[in-house]
Amino acid sequence: MMFLLTLFTLSFFFSSSDALDFCVGDLSAPQGPAGYSCKKAEEVTADDFVFSGLRATGNTSNLFKIALTPAFSSQFPGVNGLGISVARVDYPVDGRAPMHTHPEAAEVFVVIKGTFYAGFISSAYKFYFKTLNEGDIMAFPLGLMHFQINIGESEALAFSFYSSASPGVYIMDNAWFTNDLPTDILQKTTFLDPDQIKKLKGLLGGTN
Ligand SMILES: *[C@@H]1O[C@H](CO)[C@@H](O)[C@H](O)[C@H]1NC(C)=O
């Protein structure tokens, strides 16, 4: 009996699989709501858990003067299924992350270099904000609208950590002003001036 039990325990140990430890994303298969399907465990190497794509400064030549370089599961399949991810965010002088949410994730924003004014709006519509300096971190709760602005006199750098391998980014200005949502509907639903709406649509590529 003891022998059988030992045999059973041993076979249990020897049949335990790395597949229980991780689920490195198979980027060749489609991504579902729960993430990517798992790459075969025997094909996984240490390289799957390392990402060097955040070494370089991103391209900040855009309206918001920001470069968010993601290491989400689509770029860094090693985080697939782990419920975490990170992005490098470069901000030249006057750069800003415009008002946005991450539908799937809370965020911790870590200031590596520079000075930021950052804030979020709670679901009770209270505004929480702070000036952040090098080494400061700020938490942004799940799904809430938030922003960060480089208010310093030189370029700034931050890393944002997310409680999802695929946090999503939903930018308010993009939602309102980059598509064909009619100006009169935006006017009715926001009370913004039609002229202001047209100006912002012009800036962001929207029509109507
Ligand atoms: C940065 O992006 C802008 C706008 O998309 C583009 O014109 C420019 O060539 C890019 N610069 C580099 C160095 O890739």
Side-chain angles (χ1 to χ4, degrees), residues 90-122:
D90 292 287
Y91 304 74
V93 173
D94 199 36
R96 83 290 309 265
M99 200 66 82
H100 66 285
T101 72
H102 305 285
E104 309 298 333
E107 172 178 346
V108 171
F109 180 81
V110 182
V111 180
I112 307 299
K113 186 167 161 245
T115 307
F116 290 89
Y117 182 86
F120 67 84
I121 297 132
S122 75

PDB file of all heavy atoms in Angstrom, residues 90-122:
ATOM      1  N   ASP A  90       7.044  58.141 -22.882  1.00  0.00           N
ATOM      2  CA  ASP A  90       7.930  59.295 -23.051  1.00  0.00           C
ATOM      3  C   ASP A  90       7.106  60.548 -23.274  1.00  0.00           C
ATOM      4  O   ASP A  90       6.135  60.527 -24.043  1.00  0.00           O
ATOM      5  CB  ASP A  90       8.843  59.073 -24.272  1.00  0.00           C
ATOM      6  CG  ASP A  90       9.842  57.956 -24.036  1.00  0.00           C
ATOM      7  OD1 ASP A  90      10.782  58.177 -23.260  1.00  0.00           O
ATOM      8  OD2 ASP A  90       9.661  56.861 -24.608  1.00  0.00           O
ATOM      9  N   TYR A  91       7.502  61.613 -22.614  1.00  0.00           N
ATOM     10  CA  TYR A  91       6.813  62.898 -22.730  1.00  0.00           C
ATOM     11  C   TYR A  91       7.853  63.988 -22.953  1.00  0.00           C
ATOM     12  O   TYR A  91       8.620  64.286 -22.042  1.00  0.00           O
ATOM     13  CB  TYR A  91       6.099  63.265 -21.431  1.00  0.00           C
ATOM     14  CG  TYR A  91       5.100  62.275 -20.871  1.00  0.00           C
ATOM     15  CD1 TYR A  91       5.518  61.099 -20.249  1.00  0.00           C
ATOM     16  CD2 TYR A  91       3.744  62.551 -20.917  1.00  0.00           C
ATOM     17  CE1 TYR A  91       4.600  60.217 -19.715  1.00  0.00           C
ATOM     18  CE2 TYR A  91       2.815  61.672 -20.363  1.00  0.00           C
ATOM     19  CZ  TYR A  91       3.251  60.514 -19.768  1.00  0.00           C
ATOM     20  OH  TYR A  91       2.340  59.646 -19.234  1.00  0.00           O
ATOM     21  N   PRO A  92       7.885  64.601 -24.151  1.00  0.00           N
ATOM     22  CA  PRO A  92       8.747  65.775 -24.287  1.00  0.00           C
ATOM     23  C   PRO A  92       8.146  66.931 -23.472  1.00  0.00           C
ATOM     24  O   PRO A  92       7.093  66.766 -22.845  1.00  0.00           O
ATOM     25  CB  PRO A  92       8.698  66.069 -25.786  1.00  0.00           C
ATOM     26  CG  PRO A  92       7.442  65.459 -26.275  1.00  0.00           C
ATOM     27  CD  PRO A  92       7.101  64.326 -25.347  1.00  0.00           C
ATOM     28  N   VAL A  93       8.796  68.096 -23.493  1.00  0.00           N
ATOM     29  CA  VAL A  93       8.228  69.266 -22.816  1.00  0.00           C
ATOM     30  C   VAL A  93       6.804  69.469 -23.338  1.00  0.00           C
ATOM     31  O   VAL A  93       6.565  69.392 -24.543  1.00  0.00           O
ATOM     32  CB  VAL A  93       9.104  70.517 -23.104  1.00  0.00           C
ATOM     33  CG1 VAL A  93       8.448  71.768 -22.546  1.00  0.00           C
ATOM     34  CG2 VAL A  93      10.496  70.333 -22.510  1.00  0.00           C
ATOM     35  N   ASP A  94       5.861  69.669 -22.417  1.00  0.00           N
ATOM     36  CA  ASP A  94       4.455  69.889 -22.776  1.00  0.00           C
ATOM     37  C   ASP A  94       3.742  68.619 -23.265  1.00  0.00           C
ATOM     38  O   ASP A  94       2.595  68.687 -23.715  1.00  0.00           O
ATOM     39  CB  ASP A  94       4.349  71.013 -23.840  1.00  0.00           C
ATOM     40  CG  ASP A  94       2.949  71.597 -23.911  1.00  0.00           C
ATOM     41  OD1 ASP A  94       2.311  71.699 -22.839  1.00  0.00           O
ATOM     42  OD2 ASP A  94       2.482  71.921 -25.020  1.00  0.00           O
ATOM     43  N   GLY A  95       4.402  67.484 -23.180  1.00  0.00           N
ATOM     44  CA  GLY A  95       3.741  66.230 -23.565  1.00  0.00           C
ATOM     45  C   GLY A  95       2.688  65.863 -22.539  1.00  0.00           C
ATOM     46  O   GLY A  95       2.794  66.235 -21.363  1.00  0.00           O
ATOM     47  N   ARG A  96       1.681  65.144 -22.990  1.00  0.00           N
ATOM     48  CA  ARG A  96       0.642  64.744 -22.046  1.00  0.00           C
ATOM     49  C   ARG A  96      -0.061  63.467 -22.498  1.00  0.00           C
ATOM     50  O   ARG A  96      -0.190  63.191 -23.688  1.00  0.00           O
ATOM     51  CB  ARG A  96      -0.387  65.857 -21.844  1.00  0.00           C
ATOM     52  CG  ARG A  96      -1.521  66.023 -22.846  1.00  0.00           C
ATOM     53  CD  ARG A  96      -1.079  66.545 -24.205  1.00  0.00           C
ATOM     54  NE  ARG A  96      -0.272  67.740 -24.167  1.00  0.00           N
ATOM     55  CZ  ARG A  96      -0.761  68.975 -24.305  1.00  0.00           C
ATOM     56  NH1 ARG A  96      -2.034  69.163 -24.499  1.00  0.00           N
ATOM     57  NH2 ARG A  96       0.052  70.006 -24.296  1.00  0.00           N
ATOM     58  N   ALA A  97      -0.490  62.682 -21.492  1.00  0.00           N
ATOM     59  CA  ALA A  97      -1.423  61.595 -21.747  1.00  0.00           C
ATOM     60  C   ALA A  97      -2.803  62.226 -21.601  1.00  0.00           C
ATOM     61  O   ALA A  97      -3.167  62.660 -20.510  1.00  0.00           O
ATOM     62  CB  ALA A  97      -1.238  60.473 -20.748  1.00  0.00           C
ATOM     63  N   PRO A  98      -3.560  62.307 -22.707  1.00  0.00           N
ATOM     64  CA  PRO A  98      -4.866  62.963 -22.630  1.00  0.00           C
ATOM     65  C   PRO A  98      -5.832  62.138 -21.775  1.00  0.00           C
ATOM     66  O   PRO A  98      -5.540  60.979 -21.454  1.00  0.00           O
ATOM     67  CB  PRO A  98      -5.321  62.994 -24.094  1.00  0.00           C
ATOM     68  CG  PRO A  98      -4.646  61.829 -24.732  1.00  0.00           C
ATOM     69  CD  PRO A  98      -3.309  61.700 -24.031  1.00  0.00           C
ATOM     70  N   MET A  99      -6.956  62.735 -21.430  1.00  0.00           N
ATOM     71  CA  MET A  99      -7.950  62.058 -20.594  1.00  0.00           C
ATOM     72  C   MET A  99      -8.311  60.701 -21.201  1.00  0.00           C
ATOM     73  O   MET A  99      -8.726  60.629 -22.363  1.00  0.00           O
ATOM     74  CB  MET A  99      -9.185  62.967 -20.536  1.00  0.00           C
ATOM     75  CG  MET A  99     -10.095  62.689 -19.388  1.00  0.00           C
ATOM     76  SD  MET A  99      -9.351  63.067 -17.779  1.00  0.00           S
ATOM     77  CE  MET A  99      -9.623  64.838 -17.664  1.00  0.00           C
ATOM     78  N   HIS A 100      -8.099  59.632 -20.423  1.00  0.00           N
ATOM     79  CA  HIS A 100      -8.339  58.288 -20.957  1.00  0.00           C
ATOM     80  C   HIS A 100      -8.634  57.306 -19.835  1.00  0.00           C
ATOM     81  O   HIS A 100      -8.451  57.639 -18.655  1.00  0.00           O
ATOM     82  CB  HIS A 100      -7.121  57.807 -21.758  1.00  0.00           C
ATOM     83  CG  HIS A 100      -5.882  57.585 -20.916  1.00  0.00           C
ATOM     84  ND1 HIS A 100      -5.108  58.600 -20.428  1.00  0.00           N
ATOM     85  CD2 HIS A 100      -5.288  56.443 -20.472  1.00  0.00           C
ATOM     86  CE1 HIS A 100      -4.097  58.109 -19.734  1.00  0.00           C
ATOM     87  NE2 HIS A 100      -4.179  56.797 -19.734  1.00  0.00           N
ATOM     88  N   THR A 101      -9.084  56.127 -20.224  1.00  0.00           N
ATOM     89  CA  THR A 101      -9.263  55.040 -19.252  1.00  0.00           C
ATOM     90  C   THR A 101      -8.595  53.778 -19.794  1.00  0.00           C
ATOM     91  O   THR A 101      -8.308  53.678 -20.985  1.00  0.00           O
ATOM     92  CB  THR A 101     -10.757  54.688 -19.012  1.00  0.00           C
ATOM     93  OG1 THR A 101     -11.259  54.031 -20.161  1.00  0.00           O
ATOM     94  CG2 THR A 101     -11.595  55.908 -18.725  1.00  0.00           C
ATOM     95  N   HIS A 102      -8.346  52.840 -18.900  1.00  0.00           N
ATOM     96  CA  HIS A 102      -7.961  51.484 -19.289  1.00  0.00           C
ATOM     97  C   HIS A 102      -9.112  50.598 -18.823  1.00  0.00           C
ATOM     98  O   HIS A 102      -9.222  50.318 -17.625  1.00  0.00           O
ATOM     99  CB  HIS A 102      -6.648  51.065 -18.634  1.00  0.00           C
ATOM    100  CG  HIS A 102      -5.539  52.036 -18.928  1.00  0.00           C
ATOM    101  ND1 HIS A 102      -4.911  52.092 -20.139  1.00  0.00           N
ATOM    102  CD2 HIS A 102      -5.004  53.021 -18.172  1.00  0.00           C
ATOM    103  CE1 HIS A 102      -4.022  53.070 -20.126  1.00  0.00           C
ATOM    104  NE2 HIS A 102      -4.054  53.651 -18.953  1.00  0.00           N
ATOM    105  N   PRO A 103      -9.988  50.199 -19.759  1.00  0.00           N
ATOM    106  CA  PRO A 103     -11.192  49.477 -19.346  1.00  0.00           C
ATOM    107  C   PRO A 103     -10.895  48.223 -18.526  1.00  0.00           C
ATOM    108  O   PRO A 103     -11.705  47.828 -17.694  1.00  0.00           O
ATOM    109  CB  PRO A 103     -11.853  49.119 -20.679  1.00  0.00           C
ATOM    110  CG  PRO A 103     -11.341  50.140 -21.650  1.00  0.00           C
ATOM    111  CD  PRO A 103      -9.949  50.468 -21.211  1.00  0.00           C
ATOM    112  N   GLU A 104      -9.727  47.612 -18.771  1.00  0.00           N
ATOM    113  CA  GLU A 104      -9.456  46.318 -18.128  1.00  0.00           C
ATOM    114  C   GLU A 104      -8.460  46.395 -16.981  1.00  0.00           C
ATOM    115  O   GLU A 104      -8.076  45.345 -16.465  1.00  0.00           O
ATOM    116  CB  GLU A 104      -8.889  45.324 -19.158  1.00  0.00           C
ATOM    117  CG  GLU A 104      -9.690  45.187 -20.442  1.00  0.00           C
ATOM    118  CD  GLU A 104     -11.098  44.655 -20.211  1.00  0.00           C
ATOM    119  OE1 GLU A 104     -11.287  43.935 -19.212  1.00  0.00           O
ATOM    120  OE2 GLU A 104     -11.973  44.976 -21.023  1.00  0.00           O
ATOM    121  N   ALA A 105      -7.996  47.587 -16.599  1.00  0.00           N
ATOM    122  CA  ALA A 105      -6.872  47.567 -15.664  1.00  0.00           C
ATOM    123  C   ALA A 105      -6.786  48.791 -14.755  1.00  0.00           C
ATOM    124  O   ALA A 105      -7.107  49.903 -15.161  1.00  0.00           O
ATOM    125  CB  ALA A 105      -5.556  47.459 -16.439  1.00  0.00           C
ATOM    126  N   ALA A 106      -6.326  48.540 -13.543  1.00  0.00           N
ATOM    127  CA  ALA A 106      -5.818  49.614 -12.694  1.00  0.00           C
ATOM    128  C   ALA A 106      -4.374  49.868 -13.112  1.00  0.00           C
ATOM    129  O   ALA A 106      -3.757  49.044 -13.791  1.00  0.00           O
ATOM    130  CB  ALA A 106      -5.893  49.202 -11.232  1.00  0.00           C
ATOM    131  N   GLU A 107      -3.841  51.019 -12.730  1.00  0.00           N
ATOM    132  CA  GLU A 107      -2.500  51.408 -13.170  1.00  0.00           C
ATOM    133  C   GLU A 107      -1.698  51.937 -11.998  1.00  0.00           C
ATOM    134  O   GLU A 107      -2.248  52.611 -11.122  1.00  0.00           O
ATOM    135  CB  GLU A 107      -2.648  52.506 -14.238  1.00  0.00           C
ATOM    136  CG  GLU A 107      -1.340  53.165 -14.661  1.00  0.00           C
ATOM    137  CD  GLU A 107      -1.549  54.219 -15.765  1.00  0.00           C
ATOM    138  OE1 GLU A 107      -2.641  54.250 -16.381  1.00  0.00           O
ATOM    139  OE2 GLU A 107      -0.625  55.012 -15.998  1.00  0.00           O
ATOM    140  N   VAL A 108      -0.406  51.634 -12.009  1.00  0.00           N
ATOM    141  CA  VAL A 108       0.533  52.330 -11.124  1.00  0.00           C
ATOM    142  C   VAL A 108       1.535  53.042 -12.017  1.00  0.00           C
ATOM    143  O   VAL A 108       2.187  52.402 -12.859  1.00  0.00           O
ATOM    144  CB  VAL A 108       1.243  51.362 -10.152  1.00  0.00           C
ATOM    145  CG1 VAL A 108       2.369  52.087  -9.411  1.00  0.00           C
ATOM    146  CG2 VAL A 108       0.257  50.785  -9.146  1.00  0.00           C
ATOM    147  N   PHE A 109       1.614  54.356 -11.863  1.00  0.00           N
ATOM    148  CA  PHE A 109       2.431  55.214 -12.714  1.00  0.00           C
ATOM    149  C   PHE A 109       3.697  55.559 -11.935  1.00  0.00           C
ATOM    150  O   PHE A 109       3.627  56.090 -10.828  1.00  0.00           O
ATOM    151  CB  PHE A 109       1.602  56.464 -13.018  1.00  0.00           C
ATOM    152  CG  PHE A 109       2.247  57.508 -13.886  1.00  0.00           C
ATOM    153  CD1 PHE A 109       2.267  57.361 -15.266  1.00  0.00           C
ATOM    154  CD2 PHE A 109       2.789  58.658 -13.330  1.00  0.00           C
ATOM    155  CE1 PHE A 109       2.822  58.345 -16.068  1.00  0.00           C
ATOM    156  CE2 PHE A 109       3.347  59.644 -14.131  1.00  0.00           C
ATOM    157  CZ  PHE A 109       3.365  59.487 -15.501  1.00  0.00           C
ATOM    158  N   VAL A 110       4.857  55.231 -12.507  1.00  0.00           N
ATOM    159  CA  VAL A 110       6.130  55.403 -11.807  1.00  0.00           C
ATOM    160  C   VAL A 110       6.961  56.467 -12.536  1.00  0.00           C
ATOM    161  O   VAL A 110       7.321  56.278 -13.701  1.00  0.00           O
ATOM    162  CB  VAL A 110       6.922  54.076 -11.774  1.00  0.00           C
ATOM    163  CG1 VAL A 110       8.223  54.243 -11.005  1.00  0.00           C
ATOM    164  CG2 VAL A 110       6.079  52.954 -11.171  1.00  0.00           C
ATOM    165  N   VAL A 111       7.250  57.566 -11.869  1.00  0.00           N
ATOM    166  CA  VAL A 111       8.013  58.647 -12.506  1.00  0.00           C
ATOM    167  C   VAL A 111       9.503  58.331 -12.433  1.00  0.00           C
ATOM    168  O   VAL A 111      10.087  58.236 -11.350  1.00  0.00           O
ATOM    169  CB  VAL A 111       7.747  60.008 -11.828  1.00  0.00           C
ATOM    170  CG1 VAL A 111       8.565  61.109 -12.512  1.00  0.00           C
ATOM    171  CG2 VAL A 111       6.263  60.337 -11.834  1.00  0.00           C
ATOM    172  N   ILE A 112      10.120  58.143 -13.608  1.00  0.00           N
ATOM    173  CA  ILE A 112      11.553  57.872 -13.677  1.00  0.00           C
ATOM    174  C   ILE A 112      12.314  59.189 -13.782  1.00  0.00           C
ATOM    175  O   ILE A 112      13.384  59.364 -13.201  1.00  0.00           O
ATOM    176  CB  ILE A 112      11.886  56.973 -14.904  1.00  0.00           C
ATOM    177  CG1 ILE A 112      11.024  55.705 -14.907  1.00  0.00           C
ATOM    178  CG2 ILE A 112      13.376  56.639 -14.954  1.00  0.00           C
ATOM    179  CD1 ILE A 112      11.202  54.791 -13.718  1.00  0.00           C
ATOM    180  N   LYS A 113      11.747  60.121 -14.540  1.00  0.00           N
ATOM    181  CA  LYS A 113      12.438  61.388 -14.797  1.00  0.00           C
ATOM    182  C   LYS A 113      11.409  62.475 -15.065  1.00  0.00           C
ATOM    183  O   LYS A 113      10.431  62.253 -15.788  1.00  0.00           O
ATOM    184  CB  LYS A 113      13.317  61.192 -16.047  1.00  0.00           C
ATOM    185  CG  LYS A 113      14.219  62.332 -16.398  1.00  0.00           C
ATOM    186  CD  LYS A 113      15.233  61.867 -17.449  1.00  0.00           C
ATOM    187  CE  LYS A 113      15.832  63.062 -18.151  1.00  0.00           C
ATOM    188  NZ  LYS A 113      15.495  63.150 -19.568  1.00  0.00           N
ATOM    189  N   GLY A 114      11.607  63.647 -14.460  1.00  0.00           N
ATOM    190  CA  GLY A 114      10.739  64.780 -14.776  1.00  0.00           C
ATOM    191  C   GLY A 114       9.695  65.053 -13.709  1.00  0.00           C
ATOM    192  O   GLY A 114       9.685  64.448 -12.634  1.00  0.00           O
ATOM    193  N   THR A 115       8.815  65.992 -14.038  1.00  0.00           N
ATOM    194  CA  THR A 115       7.766  66.440 -13.120  1.00  0.00           C
ATOM    195  C   THR A 115       6.429  66.396 -13.853  1.00  0.00           C
ATOM    196  O   THR A 115       6.313  66.877 -14.978  1.00  0.00           O
ATOM    197  CB  THR A 115       8.038  67.892 -12.671  1.00  0.00           C
ATOM    198  OG1 THR A 115       9.368  67.956 -12.147  1.00  0.00           O
ATOM    199  CG2 THR A 115       7.065  68.323 -11.587  1.00  0.00           C
ATOM    200  N   PHE A 116       5.449  65.791 -13.205  1.00  0.00           N
ATOM    201  CA  PHE A 116       4.132  65.623 -13.824  1.00  0.00           C
ATOM    202  C   PHE A 116       3.045  66.239 -12.961  1.00  0.00           C
ATOM    203  O   PHE A 116       3.159  66.287 -11.722  1.00  0.00           O
ATOM    204  CB  PHE A 116       3.797  64.131 -13.969  1.00  0.00           C
ATOM    205  CG  PHE A 116       4.620  63.403 -14.989  1.00  0.00           C
ATOM    206  CD1 PHE A 116       5.836  62.819 -14.640  1.00  0.00           C
ATOM    207  CD2 PHE A 116       4.181  63.290 -16.299  1.00  0.00           C
ATOM    208  CE1 PHE A 116       6.592  62.132 -15.581  1.00  0.00           C
ATOM    209  CE2 PHE A 116       4.929  62.600 -17.247  1.00  0.00           C
ATOM    210  CZ  PHE A 116       6.138  62.025 -16.883  1.00  0.00           C
ATOM    211  N   TYR A 117       1.991  66.669 -13.618  1.00  0.00           N
ATOM    212  CA  TYR A 117       0.721  66.944 -12.955  1.00  0.00           C
ATOM    213  C   TYR A 117      -0.194  65.819 -13.408  1.00  0.00           C
ATOM    214  O   TYR A 117      -0.363  65.601 -14.622  1.00  0.00           O
ATOM    215  CB  TYR A 117       0.197  68.311 -13.407  1.00  0.00           C
ATOM    216  CG  TYR A 117      -1.089  68.738 -12.754  1.00  0.00           C
ATOM    217  CD1 TYR A 117      -1.093  69.408 -11.518  1.00  0.00           C
ATOM    218  CD2 TYR A 117      -2.317  68.487 -13.367  1.00  0.00           C
ATOM    219  CE1 TYR A 117      -2.277  69.805 -10.925  1.00  0.00           C
ATOM    220  CE2 TYR A 117      -3.506  68.893 -12.772  1.00  0.00           C
ATOM    221  CZ  TYR A 117      -3.479  69.541 -11.564  1.00  0.00           C
ATOM    222  OH  TYR A 117      -4.655  69.937 -10.969  1.00  0.00           O
ATOM    223  N   ALA A 118      -0.739  65.070 -12.466  1.00  0.00           N
ATOM    224  CA  ALA A 118      -1.523  63.890 -12.827  1.00  0.00           C
ATOM    225  C   ALA A 118      -2.775  63.823 -11.976  1.00  0.00           C
ATOM    226  O   ALA A 118      -2.793  64.301 -10.836  1.00  0.00           O
ATOM    227  CB  ALA A 118      -0.690  62.625 -12.633  1.00  0.00           C
ATOM    228  N   GLY A 119      -3.829  63.247 -12.532  1.00  0.00           N
ATOM    229  CA  GLY A 119      -5.060  63.140 -11.758  1.00  0.00           C
ATOM    230  C   GLY A 119      -6.032  62.148 -12.347  1.00  0.00           C
ATOM    231  O   GLY A 119      -5.851  61.669 -13.469  1.00  0.00           O
ATOM    232  N   PHE A 120      -7.047  61.838 -11.555  1.00  0.00           N
ATOM    233  CA  PHE A 120      -8.155  61.006 -12.049  1.00  0.00           C
ATOM    234  C   PHE A 120      -9.461  61.513 -11.468  1.00  0.00           C
ATOM    235  O   PHE A 120      -9.475  62.296 -10.513  1.00  0.00           O
ATOM    236  CB  PHE A 120      -7.927  59.516 -11.731  1.00  0.00           C
ATOM    237  CG  PHE A 120      -7.961  59.149 -10.272  1.00  0.00           C
ATOM    238  CD1 PHE A 120      -9.166  58.899  -9.621  1.00  0.00           C
ATOM    239  CD2 PHE A 120      -6.773  59.024  -9.547  1.00  0.00           C
ATOM    240  CE1 PHE A 120      -9.193  58.534  -8.269  1.00  0.00           C
ATOM    241  CE2 PHE A 120      -6.794  58.669  -8.205  1.00  0.00           C
ATOM    242  CZ  PHE A 120      -8.012  58.432  -7.563  1.00  0.00           C
ATOM    243  N   ILE A 121     -10.550  61.064 -12.064  1.00  0.00           N
ATOM    244  CA  ILE A 121     -11.892  61.459 -11.620  1.00  0.00           C
ATOM    245  C   ILE A 121     -12.616  60.206 -11.166  1.00  0.00           C
ATOM    246  O   ILE A 121     -12.701  59.224 -11.914  1.00  0.00           O
ATOM    247  CB  ILE A 121     -12.641  62.155 -12.772  1.00  0.00           C
ATOM    248  CG1 ILE A 121     -11.894  63.438 -13.151  1.00  0.00           C
ATOM    249  CG2 ILE A 121     -14.072  62.490 -12.359  1.00  0.00           C
ATOM    250  CD1 ILE A 121     -11.679  63.595 -14.617  1.00  0.00           C
ATOM    251  N   SER A 122     -13.094  60.230  -9.944  1.00  0.00           N
ATOM    252  CA  SER A 122     -13.731  59.035  -9.376  1.00  0.00           C
ATOM    253  C   SER A 122     -15.143  58.866  -9.930  1.00  0.00           C
ATOM    254  O   SER A 122     -15.676  59.759 -10.592  1.00  0.00           O
ATOM    255  CB  SER A 122     -13.800  59.161  -7.855  1.00  0.00           C
ATOM    256  OG  SER A 122     -14.817  60.085  -7.503  1.00  0.00           O
TER     257      SER A 122
END
